[in-house]
Amino acid sequence: MEMKRFEGQVAVVTGGARGIGRAVAERLASEGARVVIWDLKGAEEAAAALPGNALGLAVDVGQEASVAAAAERTEALCGQVDILVTAAGITGETRPVQGHPYDSWRRVVDIHLGGVFLCARSLLDGMVARDRGRIIAVASVAGKEGNPNASSYSAAKAGIIGFIKSLGKELAPTGVRANVIAPGLINAPLMEQLPPEQVAFSLSKIPQGRFGTVEECAAMIAFMASAECSFCSGAVFDLSGGRATY
């Protein structure tokens, strides 16, 4: 049965030009949302392929000025934002902490954790004023368990989980909900940035014996973005093939 849960709503998807973000953008648009893609590259092209008068903006989510400008332009062109999904990210260097350059480590944290903070903050005023909204952050099972040789990525994803738990409690008395999804390894372009041994390690930890799909992520996120997800505040939704059960 065709669903149109997001008819008349505006949804911002960071990292929406590829991977999980692209699948989420497609899913929300198919259910009636006007989608605005924020991405460093390819945002306009990705938006052009979506229904519903979608918009693409070039944004560096790790830079405060870039996010502020994108939020202002989005609200000027589309009105207030109802849904924010933060899916922008990079894996960073796969190497031990010993000898790991701080600039490289910090860039991963700035994009993931800093990006979630900046994007959420930029759109919260409108959501709170209207007493309606959904914020969904894409974290990772790495933020729960920590992956070896991926300290920046694991730390950033753990930080996202903690940030959304805090934000979810702040917003609980309102009609705005903030929750986080923690996928295991998903068969998406980001996986191509990992060395084969890291991919094999992650697969060995998944009881189902396979990688997740971007469509499975999009389906769960669509529920989290809907009015049906009303009694969750600061919750962590696992999508890990049985790897994380806590």
Side-chain angles (χ1 to χ4, degrees):
M1 183 176 63
E2 184 179 9
M3 293 185 290
K4 291 291 183 181
R5 292 178 290 185
F6 310 114
E7 199 77 55
Q9 297 188 44
V10 175
V12 167
V13 182
T14 75
R18 60 192 61 82
I20 292 173
R22 179 67 175 265
V24 170
E26 291 172 351
R27 178 63 183 257
L28 297 181
S30 75
E31 291 200 37
R34 183 179 186 188
V35 174
V36 185
I37 292 175
W38 292 3
D39 210 321
L40 196 60
K41 298 178 181 178
E44 291 186 13
E45 294 83 355
L50 296 176
N53 197 23
L55 177 68
L57 300 177
V59 184
D60 183 346
V61 298
Q63 297 295 324
E64 185 174 11
S66 182
V67 172
E72 183 178 354
R73 182 159 173 76
T74 297
E75 292 179 343
L77 294 174
C78 304
Q80 296 288 350
V81 174
D82 303 283
I83 299 164
L84 168 65
V85 181
T86 60
I90 59 174
T91 60
E93 294 189 54
T94 303
R95 61 187 298 171
V97 171
Q98 290 173 284
H100 200 307
Y102 181 56
D103 287 348
S104 172
W105 194 94
R106 183 173 178 177
R107 179 61 176 157
V108 175
V109 175
D110 284 347
I111 291 172
H112 285 277
L113 178 55
V116 172
F117 168 78
L118 290 172
C119 292
R121 189 187 64 175
S122 74
L123 298 173
L124 266 175
D125 286 349
M127 291 184 180
V128 172
R130 296 188 324 280
D131 200 33
R132 186 182 76 250
R134 293 290 185 270
I135 296 171
I136 301 101
V138 179
S140 169
V141 68
K144 288 185 163 192
E145 295 189 357
N147 285 344
N149 300 317
S151 60
S152 57
Y153 185 83
S154 299
K157 293 302 192 181
I160 290 172
I161 292 171
F163 172 69
I164 293 295
K165 286 183 176 183
S166 176
L167 180 61
K169 287 182 171 65
E170 290 181 20
L171 297 173
T174 76
V176 184
R177 297 288 166 261
N179 296 297
V180 59
I181 183 172
L185 196 58
I186 302 299
N187 191 3
L190 197 68
M191 193 167 73
E192 298 171 4
Q193 299 179 24
L194 297 171
E197 59 271 19
Q198 192 79 9
V199 174
F201 167 81
S202 295
L203 182 60
S204 72
K205 303 275 283 184
I206 302 174
Q208 285 192 15
R210 68 172 178 88
F211 300 122
T213 69
V214 293
E215 291 80 12
E216 287 170 322
C217 284
M220 181 171 281
I221 289 170
F223 164 71
M224 296 166 69
S226 75
E228 298 167 279
C229 186
S230 56
F231 199 50
C232 297
S233 299
V236 182
F237 289 73
D238 286 325
L239 190 76
S240 64
R243 175 177 174 179
T245 55
Y246 56 92

